[in-house]
Amino acid sequence: MVVGESGLGKSTLVNSLFLTDLYPERHVPSAAEKIEQTVKIDASTVEIEERGVKLRLTVVDTPGFGDSLNSVDCFKPIIQYIDEQFERYLNDESGLNRRHIVDNRVHCCFYFINPSGHGLKPLDVAFMKAVHHKVNIVPVLAKADTLTQIEVNNLKKKILDQIDEQGIRIYPLPDCDSDEDEDYKEQCRQLKGAVPFAVVGANTIIEVKGRKVRGRMYPWGVVEVENPEHCDFIKLRTMLITHMQDLQEVTQETHYENFRAEKLASGGAGKPRSGKPAVPPPRMENGGGDMSDKERELRQKEEELRRMQERLARMQAEIESKKPQHIQNGELKSQDV
Ligand code: GDP
């Protein structure tokens, strides 16, 4: 899910990430229309292929966020959408056909922060606080090309301090195990150090010194979206691919459990599972406290599987990043993608 004030480059970034044009018939409302505007929920499906493995992702855009004169209620439709997906999952889980549940829960929310402000705005704080127990928030510093490197670093620090002061819980990128290889450990360190990811989006392909790059051309030069010296776009994409499994697990173990606990507390849970705690369990890497042996064994197996899947995703991402540009992007046919 992508959330943030309109005009911060959400649609452009999503198109850059998935190399598609997800919003060909987009209508940008006028100022008059925005006054009364409510937030829309716009879900589209993209298929991405990683080394022959097809992944179906649903991208949820939230146009209208922060647009109207009174933005107090603008995140209600978003919360409602997230809850509806949990509700649907809960119902499916309690139904007969539990093997074929389509998981449409929101596993990740990129929250776009305005680069021209002085850190977080009240709306940013209010939104993140309203959803941090429901979804994995990944803060993103939008339009990073409008800031100098020093400004980016200062703003990132300020945003992190504010997140901390306000008690906002963003998605904690997982620590890697001590037995992982050095390259992976370094990648983890870099990804963690890049939060909030300073991104640049562009839908145009520009030729720079004989190379075709996705970028933004200014009179003084070209900002390359996929150049790690220019912005954190590649880091954001790597994070999404390598931690996709972990994002799903945190959703399952923390946010979904929160939802179920709330439901139980209000007496409306679809099917309470006996013995389950009403508070979210802490994330367990090596098995937890009061579990039966069987449960512990199962957890360890799941953990092993998760690590294997992460390793695989990592290898795929590495191979992907070593491919020449034109292969990574598929055949880019037109100048404007
Ligand atoms: P949305 O309303 O958040 O979906 O924003 P859009 O993706 O429609 O972008 C709004 C405007 O900002 C468009 O003119 C984009 O070309 C421009 N834009 C998008 N991404 C960037 C960026 O990273 N840097 C700069 N400088 N402009 C951007």
Side-chain angles (χ1 to χ4, degrees):
M1 173 178 270
V2 283
V3 184
E5 283 167 49
S6 64
L8 285 185
K10 298 184 296 296
S11 322
T12 312
L13 191 87
V14 164
N15 287 338
S16 309
L17 269 178
F18 303 115
L19 302 171
T20 53
D21 184 4
L22 271 185
Y23 316 103
E25 285 158 21
R26 185 171 173 220
H27 161 71
V28 178
S30 64
E33 286 172 305
K34 281 181 182 172
I35 292 175
E36 292 295 329
Q37 192 177 359
T38 51
V39 175
K40 273 204 309 174
I41 301 290
D42 189 352
S44 342
T45 304
V46 283
E47 245 185 33
I48 52 172
E49 195 168 328
E50 282 295 318
R51 298 253 304 152
V53 180
K54 282 205 173 130
L55 273 175
R56 197 181 59 85
L57 286 183
T58 305
V59 181
V60 185
D61 200 350
T62 52
F65 181 85
D67 269 357
S68 67
L69 271 183
N70 181 356
S71 287
V72 174
D73 286 338
C74 77
F75 40 80
K76 285 203 174 143
I78 299 175
I79 293 177
Q80 196 183 341
Y81 180 85
I82 297 172
D83 281 347
E84 272 167 18
Q85 308 315 310
F86 280 142
E87 185 82 53
R88 196 193 299 181
Y89 194 86
L90 185 65
N91 285 341
D92 286 356
E93 226 187 15
S94 344
L96 282 177
N97 198 8
R98 294 174 52 179
R99 276 174 178 277
H100 303 289
I101 299 179
V102 178
D103 186 2
N104 275 323
R105 292 173 298 180
V106 181
H107 296 112
C108 180
C109 170
F110 288 164
Y111 187 75
F112 282 64
I113 298 161
N114 196 324
S116 62
H118 294 280
L120 298 179
K121 295 182 182 177
L123 181 62
D124 301 330
V125 173
F127 175 77
M128 287 197 266
K129 277 190 169 174
V131 300
H132 65 177
H133 60 295
K134 290 180 184 288
V135 68
N136 291 312
I137 301 174
V138 174
V140 165
L141 182 55
K143 298 190 178 180
D145 58 324
T146 59
L147 301 170
T148 65
Q149 189 63 57
I150 293 173
E151 285 167 339
V152 167
N153 293 341
N154 289 344
L155 193 51
K156 277 187 175 189
K157 190 173 171 314
K158 187 162 188 188
I159 290 167
L160 284 184
D161 286 347
Q162 287 177 317
I163 283 175
D164 197 38
E165 278 160 23
Q166 295 290 337
I168 296 167
R169 290 189 304 275
I170 56 173
Y171 169 60
L173 271 80
D175 288 318
C176 51
D177 297 333
S178 51
D179 59 348
E180 296 284 2
D181 59 80
E182 276 309 312
D183 283 356
Y184 182 60
K185 282 188 192 162
E186 181 53 29
Q187 190 195 65
C188 280
R189 267 192 293 272
Q190 285 192 8
L191 292 186
K192 271 182 181 248
V195 178
F197 297 93
V199 294
V200 175
N203 292 334
T204 38
I205 304 297
I206 301 165
E207 196 158 327
V208 181
K209 295 180 192 147
R211 284 181 305 133
K212 285 215 160 105
V213 298
R214 186 173 279 267
R216 309 184 66 82
M217 191 180 319
Y218 293 107
W220 49 89
V222 172
V223 182
E224 298 172 31
V225 168
E226 298 188 34
N227 185 336
E229 312 236 303
H230 292 190
C231 72
D232 298 329
F233 175 87
I234 288 285
K235 291 199 185 85
L236 184 70
R237 194 174 67 185
T238 308
M239 189 285 298
L240 193 61
I241 294 171
T242 51
H243 295 321
M244 201 170 276
Q245 183 82 21
D246 189 64
L247 286 161
Q248 291 178 25
E249 275 184 20
V250 179
T251 303
Q252 171 71 25
E253 286 167 18
T254 305
H255 304 308
Y256 181 56
E257 283 305 320
N258 276 337
F259 174 81
R260 276 176 20 86
E262 262 176 37
K263 271 265 169 196
L264 279 173
S266 66
K271 179 193 168 220
R273 272 188 263 161
S274 58
K276 275 270 171 185
V279 286
R283 288 181 63 185
M284 283 169 282
E285 297 296 329
N286 304 310
D290 294 337
M291 284 190 285
S292 70
D293 285 347
K294 216 166 178 185
E295 231 176 321
R296 190 172 296 121
E297 204 180 305
L298 200 67
R299 284 235 177 226
Q300 277 168 355
K301 288 248 152 57
E302 277 174 358
E303 184 60 23
E304 250 168 57
L305 192 68
R306 183 182 71 80
R307 281 210 207 105
M308 277 169 65
Q309 278 166 330
E310 270 189 12
R311 231 168 256 158
L312 191 69
R314 225 161 51 228
M315 281 161 65
Q316 286 174 347
E318 255 169 44
I319 292 167
E320 210 49 37
S321 67
K322 281 177 190 151
K323 273 194 215 167
Q325 196 77 38
H326 67 281
I327 300 181
Q328 269 187 40
N329 290 356
E331 272 307 314
L332 293 165
K333 289 186 209 87
S334 62
Q335 288 294 94
D336 238 342
V337 180

